[in-house]
Amino acid sequence: EMYNIYEVSRDFVPTYDSYLELLPEQASLELKELLRKMMLNKASFEMEFEYHNLMGEDKILKAIATPEIDSEGEVKRIIG
């Protein structure tokens, strides 16, 4: 779905850094802070932000992230 929302090619490799590069600067900064807090508090979050696609259309996107916690209480991965 990410390929359709952000209009990137199927060659795009979604990583933490490559995803942040797709976002407007303010959204990227907010997301970094929310992820930092999520790793610290091990709690889910939601955020909404504006995004301008390659066609120049304005869109509002909602990001939802939930940490998966391992048996030692550490974040194993992020789902969202």
Side-chain angles (χ1 to χ4, degrees):
E1 189 64 25
M2 180 177 183
Y3 299 102
N4 295 326
I5 293 171
Y6 293 99
E7 300 174 339
V8 293
S9 76
R10 296 287 175 177
D11 296 334
F12 177 79
V13 178
T15 65
Y16 175 78
D17 290 327
S18 66
Y19 177 68
L20 290 176
E21 289 176 11
L22 292 174
L23 304 179
E25 184 177 357
Q26 187 59 37
S28 178
L29 293 172
E30 288 177 39
L31 183 59
K32 284 180 185 179
E33 179 62 14
L34 286 171
L35 287 168
R36 185 190 70 74
K37 288 179 180 178
M38 181 185 69
M39 297 298 286
L40 183 66
N41 301 323
K42 297 169 180 57
S44 301
F45 72 83
E46 295 182 14
M47 80 177 266
E48 289 186 359
F49 57 92
E50 285 189 34
Y51 172 73
H52 308 285
N53 68 14
L54 296 176
M55 301 295 289
E57 301 167 323
D58 293 335
K59 295 186 176 196
I60 296 177
L61 300 177
K62 184 174 192 175
I64 302 171
T66 303
E68 184 176 298
I69 310 300
D70 67 17
S71 61
E72 296 175 7
E74 297 300 319
V75 176
K76 178 178 165 181
R77 67 181 181 150
I78 300 169
I79 302 168

